[in-house]
Protein backbone atom coordinates (compact mmCIF):
# COMPACT_ATOMS: atom_id res chain seq x y z
CA UNK A 1 0.00 0.00 0.00
CA UNK A 2 2.82 2.38 0.95
CA UNK A 3 4.62 1.58 -2.31
CA UNK A 4 1.46 2.30 -4.31
CA UNK A 5 1.01 5.67 -2.57
CA UNK A 6 4.67 6.49 -3.21
CA UNK A 7 4.39 5.77 -6.92
CA UNK A 8 1.09 7.65 -7.17
CA UNK A 9 2.57 10.69 -5.42
CA UNK A 10 5.67 10.58 -7.61
CA UNK A 11 3.57 10.40 -10.77
CA UNK A 12 1.44 13.32 -9.55
CA UNK A 13 4.51 15.44 -8.90
CA UNK A 14 5.95 14.61 -12.30
CA UNK A 15 2.68 15.59 -13.99
CA UNK A 16 2.55 18.80 -11.97
CA UNK A 17 6.12 19.52 -12.99
CA UNK A 18 5.28 19.02 -16.63
CA UNK A 19 2.32 21.37 -16.30
CA UNK A 20 4.47 23.99 -14.65
CA UNK A 21 7.14 23.70 -17.31
CA UNK A 22 4.65 24.29 -20.10
CA UNK A 23 3.15 27.36 -18.44
CA UNK A 24 4.66 30.61 -19.82
CA UNK A 25 7.05 32.24 -17.35
CA UNK A 26 6.15 35.88 -17.89
CA UNK A 27 9.22 38.03 -17.45
CA UNK A 28 7.51 41.41 -17.11
CA UNK A 29 8.02 43.29 -13.85
CA UNK A 30 5.01 45.19 -12.48
CA UNK A 31 5.06 48.15 -10.08
CA UNK A 32 2.30 48.85 -7.58
CA UNK A 33 0.70 52.29 -7.76
CA UNK A 34 -1.06 53.20 -4.49
CA UNK A 35 -4.69 54.18 -4.27
CA UNK A 36 -5.63 57.81 -3.88
CA UNK A 37 -6.05 61.15 -5.59
CA UNK A 38 -3.79 62.76 -8.18
CA UNK A 39 -3.83 65.84 -10.40
CA UNK A 40 -5.15 64.98 -13.84
CA UNK A 41 -5.16 66.92 -17.12
CA UNK A 42 -4.12 70.51 -17.83
CA UNK A 43 -5.74 73.94 -17.89
CA UNK A 44 -5.00 74.58 -21.55
CA UNK A 45 -4.84 71.40 -23.56
CA UNK A 46 -6.93 70.53 -26.60
CA UNK A 47 -9.13 67.49 -26.15
CA UNK A 48 -8.82 67.48 -22.37
CA UNK A 49 -11.56 68.19 -19.85
CA UNK A 50 -9.35 70.45 -17.77
CA UNK A 51 -7.07 70.15 -14.79
CA UNK A 52 -8.84 68.40 -11.93
CA UNK A 53 -8.39 65.92 -9.13
CA UNK A 54 -9.11 62.29 -9.90
CA UNK A 55 -9.03 59.18 -7.76
CA UNK A 56 -7.92 55.66 -8.67
CA UNK A 57 -7.82 52.40 -6.75
CA UNK A 58 -4.50 50.68 -6.18
CA UNK A 59 -3.19 48.85 -9.23
CA UNK A 60 -0.09 47.36 -10.78
CA UNK A 61 1.45 48.49 -14.08
CA UNK A 62 4.34 47.16 -16.15
CA UNK A 63 7.66 48.75 -15.31
CA UNK A 64 8.33 49.23 -19.01
CA UNK A 65 6.56 48.74 -22.32
CA UNK A 66 5.97 45.16 -23.43
CA UNK A 67 9.02 43.98 -25.37
CA UNK A 68 9.30 41.75 -28.42
CA UNK A 69 10.58 38.88 -26.28
CA UNK A 70 7.75 39.22 -23.76
CA UNK A 71 5.14 39.40 -26.51
CA UNK A 72 6.57 36.27 -28.14
CA UNK A 73 6.12 34.38 -24.86
CA UNK A 74 2.38 34.54 -25.53
CA UNK A 75 2.10 35.06 -29.28
CA UNK A 76 4.26 32.29 -30.72
CA UNK A 77 3.90 33.61 -34.28
CA UNK A 78 5.49 36.95 -33.37
CA UNK A 79 8.90 37.41 -34.96
CA UNK A 80 11.48 40.15 -34.65
CA UNK A 81 14.92 40.89 -35.98
CA UNK A 82 18.08 39.81 -34.21
CA UNK A 83 19.03 42.12 -31.38
CA UNK A 84 15.51 43.50 -30.93
CA UNK A 85 14.31 41.17 -28.17
CA UNK A 86 14.35 43.98 -25.60
CA UNK A 87 12.83 46.63 -27.86
CA UNK A 88 9.19 47.65 -27.37
CA UNK A 89 6.84 45.53 -29.46
CA UNK A 90 5.00 47.63 -32.06
CA UNK A 91 2.61 47.14 -35.00
CA UNK A 92 0.09 45.75 -32.49
CA UNK A 93 -3.61 46.67 -32.69
CA UNK A 94 -5.72 47.55 -29.67
CA UNK A 95 -7.40 44.14 -29.66
CA UNK A 96 -4.06 42.34 -29.94
CA UNK A 97 -2.64 44.33 -27.06
CA UNK A 98 -5.75 43.67 -24.99
CA UNK A 99 -5.60 39.94 -25.76
CA UNK A 100 -1.94 39.72 -24.75
CA UNK A 101 -2.64 41.40 -21.41
CA UNK A 102 -5.61 39.14 -20.74
CA UNK A 103 -3.47 36.06 -21.35
CA UNK A 104 -1.13 37.42 -18.68
CA UNK A 105 -4.13 37.68 -16.33
CA UNK A 106 -3.87 41.46 -16.69
CA UNK A 107 -5.48 44.22 -18.79
CA UNK A 108 -4.67 47.51 -20.47
CA UNK A 109 -4.46 50.47 -18.07
CA UNK A 110 -7.22 53.05 -17.95
CA UNK A 111 -6.35 56.58 -18.97
CA UNK A 112 -6.34 57.76 -15.35
CA UNK A 113 -4.19 54.83 -14.23
CA UNK A 114 -1.63 55.50 -16.94
CA UNK A 115 -1.50 59.21 -16.08
CA UNK A 116 -1.07 58.65 -12.36
CA UNK A 117 1.68 56.11 -12.97
CA UNK A 118 3.42 58.68 -15.18
CA UNK A 119 3.11 61.84 -13.07
CA UNK A 120 2.53 60.86 -9.46
CA UNK A 121 0.40 63.09 -7.24
CA UNK A 122 2.00 66.52 -7.69
CA UNK A 123 0.71 67.32 -11.19
CA UNK A 124 4.16 67.31 -12.82
CA UNK A 125 4.47 67.90 -16.55
CA UNK A 126 6.92 65.08 -17.22
CA UNK A 127 7.61 61.82 -15.39
CA UNK A 128 10.86 63.29 -13.98
CA UNK A 129 9.48 66.74 -13.05
CA UNK A 130 8.60 70.04 -14.72
CA UNK A 131 11.79 70.80 -16.66
CA UNK A 132 12.03 69.91 -20.33
CA UNK A 133 14.54 67.12 -20.86
CA UNK A 134 17.84 68.00 -22.51
CA UNK A 135 18.32 64.65 -24.21
CA UNK A 136 16.22 64.32 -27.33
CA UNK A 137 13.98 61.24 -27.54
CA UNK A 138 14.53 61.06 -31.32
CA UNK A 139 16.05 58.94 -32.72
CA UNK A 140 17.75 57.17 -29.83
CA UNK A 141 14.47 56.40 -28.04
CA UNK A 142 12.31 56.14 -31.11
CA UNK A 143 10.10 53.75 -32.99
CA UNK A 144 12.65 53.32 -35.77
CA UNK A 145 16.04 53.36 -34.08
CA UNK A 146 14.82 51.59 -30.98
CA UNK A 147 16.65 51.11 -27.70
CA UNK A 148 15.86 48.49 -25.13
CA UNK A 149 12.83 49.29 -22.99
CA UNK A 150 13.83 51.20 -19.87
CA UNK A 151 17.23 52.31 -21.17
CA UNK A 152 16.50 56.03 -20.83
CA UNK A 153 17.51 56.56 -17.20
CA UNK A 154 15.91 60.02 -17.03
CA UNK A 155 12.49 59.00 -18.33
CA UNK A 156 11.33 57.45 -15.05
CA UNK A 157 8.18 58.34 -13.11
CA UNK A 158 7.97 58.94 -9.33
CA UNK A 159 6.95 55.30 -8.92
CA UNK A 160 9.80 53.93 -11.01
CA UNK A 161 7.83 53.35 -14.23
CA UNK A 162 9.99 53.78 -17.37
CA UNK A 163 9.51 55.32 -20.81
CA UNK A 164 6.28 57.22 -20.27
CA UNK A 165 7.47 60.33 -22.15
CA UNK A 166 9.77 58.94 -24.85
CA UNK A 167 9.90 55.68 -26.79
CA UNK A 168 6.49 54.83 -28.36
CA UNK A 169 2.83 55.66 -27.95
CA UNK A 170 0.92 53.20 -25.77
CA UNK A 171 -2.62 51.84 -26.02
CA UNK A 172 -4.89 52.36 -23.01
CA UNK A 173 -8.40 51.08 -22.33
CA UNK A 174 -9.86 54.60 -22.63
CA UNK A 175 -12.00 55.53 -25.61
CA UNK A 176 -14.85 53.78 -27.42
CA UNK A 177 -15.33 50.96 -29.90
CA UNK A 178 -14.10 53.13 -32.78
CA UNK A 179 -11.33 55.29 -31.34
CA UNK A 180 -9.00 54.27 -28.53
CA UNK A 181 -6.83 56.55 -26.44
CA UNK A 182 -3.05 56.36 -26.61
CA UNK A 183 -0.57 57.91 -24.21
CA UNK A 184 3.12 58.73 -24.08
CA UNK A 185 5.62 60.14 -26.54
CA UNK A 186 5.49 59.74 -30.29
CA UNK A 187 8.98 60.04 -31.78
CA UNK A 188 8.17 61.17 -35.32
CA UNK A 189 5.98 64.16 -34.44
CA UNK A 190 8.63 65.98 -32.43
CA UNK A 191 12.34 66.23 -31.75
CA UNK A 192 12.02 66.98 -28.06
CA UNK A 193 9.76 66.13 -25.13
CA UNK A 194 7.48 69.15 -25.59
CA UNK A 195 4.66 66.93 -26.89
CA UNK A 196 5.28 64.13 -24.41
CA UNK A 197 3.72 65.66 -21.33
CA UNK A 198 2.06 63.34 -18.83
CA UNK A 199 -1.45 64.57 -19.72
CA UNK A 200 -1.12 64.41 -23.51
CA UNK A 201 -3.41 61.91 -25.16
CA UNK A 202 -4.46 61.00 -28.65
CA UNK A 203 -7.16 58.84 -30.21
CA UNK A 204 -6.56 56.28 -32.92
CA UNK A 205 -8.72 53.71 -34.70
CA UNK A 206 -8.57 50.46 -32.73
CA UNK A 207 -7.17 48.57 -35.72
CA UNK A 208 -4.17 50.91 -36.13
CA UNK A 209 -0.71 49.40 -36.59
CA UNK A 210 2.26 51.73 -36.40
CA UNK A 211 5.98 51.37 -35.84
CA UNK A 212 5.66 53.96 -33.05
CA UNK A 213 2.70 52.34 -31.24
CA UNK A 214 3.09 49.79 -28.45
CA UNK A 215 1.59 49.15 -25.01
CA UNK A 216 2.05 48.00 -21.44
CA UNK A 217 -0.25 46.01 -19.14
CA UNK A 218 -1.86 46.72 -15.78
CA UNK A 219 -3.95 44.82 -13.24
CA UNK A 220 -6.00 45.70 -10.19
CA UNK A 221 -4.34 45.27 -6.82
CA UNK A 222 -7.28 43.42 -5.24
Amino acid sequence: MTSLLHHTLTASLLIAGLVLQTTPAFSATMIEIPAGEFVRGADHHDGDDGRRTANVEAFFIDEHEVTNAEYAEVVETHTFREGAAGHPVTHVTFDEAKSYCEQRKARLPTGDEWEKAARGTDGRLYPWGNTLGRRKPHPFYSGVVKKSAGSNRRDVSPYGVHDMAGSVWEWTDAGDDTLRETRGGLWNLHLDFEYSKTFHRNRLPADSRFIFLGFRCARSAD
Side-chain angles (χ1 to χ4, degrees), residues 127-128 135 141 147-157 160-163 193:
W128 55 82
R135 175 174 286 186
Y141 301 98
K147 300 280 282 187
S148 293
S151 59
N152 186 342
R153 297 180 180 178
R154 179 173 175 80
D155 190 0
V156 183
S157 83
V161 187
H162 290 251
D163 296 335
F193 286 108

Side-chain angles (χ1 to χ4, degrees), residues 4-210:
L4 177 60
L5 288 173
H6 173 75
H7 287 300
T8 301
L9 178 59
T10 301
S12 298
L13 290 173
L14 286 172
I15 292 172
L18 289 174
V19 171
L20 289 173
Q21 290 175 15
T22 57
T23 300
F26 301 116
S27 57
T29 298
M30 303 191 87
I31 292 178
E32 183 172 10
I33 310 299
E37 295 182 343
F38 75 103
V39 177
R40 180 195 187 285
D43 292 332
H44 304 288
H45 178 53
D46 292 340
D48 201 356
D49 53 4
R51 188 180 177 93
R52 62 180 177 82
T53 299
N55 186 77
V56 296
E57 298 298 322
F59 67 98
F60 289 86
I61 193 166
D62 284 348
E63 181 180 28
H64 55 70
E65 294 151 337
V66 174
T67 65
N68 281 310
E70 290 166 347
Y71 193 72
E73 290 177 353
V74 173
V75 184
E76 296 180 357
T77 57
H78 177 65
T79 59
F80 50 89
R81 64 178 177 79
E82 185 177 356
H87 294 175
V89 65
T90 56
H91 289 108
V92 177
T93 68
F94 171 84
D95 287 335
E96 289 168 344
K98 181 180 178 181
S99 175
Y100 167 87
C101 291
E102 289 173 346
Q103 291 181 73
R104 271 183 47 191
K105 307 301 181 186
R107 55 177 172 75
L108 289 171
T110 67
D112 281 359
E113 286 175 339
W114 194 99
E115 188 166 333
K116 183 174 183 180
R119 75 190 309 187
T121 60
D122 57 5
R124 59 184 58 195
L125 300 179
Y126 305 99
W128 55 82
N130 294 312
T131 304
L132 189 66
R134 293 181 180 178
R135 175 174 286 186
K136 307 297 185 183
H138 173 80
F140 300 107
Y141 301 98
S142 74
V144 172
V145 187
K146 291 194 181 79
K147 300 280 282 187
S148 293
S151 59
N152 186 342
R153 297 180 180 178
R154 179 173 175 80
D155 190 0
V156 183
S157 83
Y159 300 110
V161 187
H162 290 251
D163 296 335
M164 303 193 87
S167 196
V168 295
W169 264 352
E170 301 175 22
W171 289 114
T172 71
D173 198 34
D176 53 39
D177 292 338
T178 303
L179 297 176
R180 288 291 175 174
E181 189 174 286
T182 65
R183 294 293 194 116
L186 170 55
W187 67 271
N188 73 345
L189 287 185
H190 57 85
L191 297 179
D192 57 34
F193 286 108
E194 176 60 31
Y195 302 100
S196 296
K197 293 185 175 71
T198 51
F199 51 80
H200 279 146
R201 51 186 174 160
N202 302 275
R203 291 200 170 197
L204 294 175
D207 60 355
S208 298
R209 293 182 189 274
F210 294 118

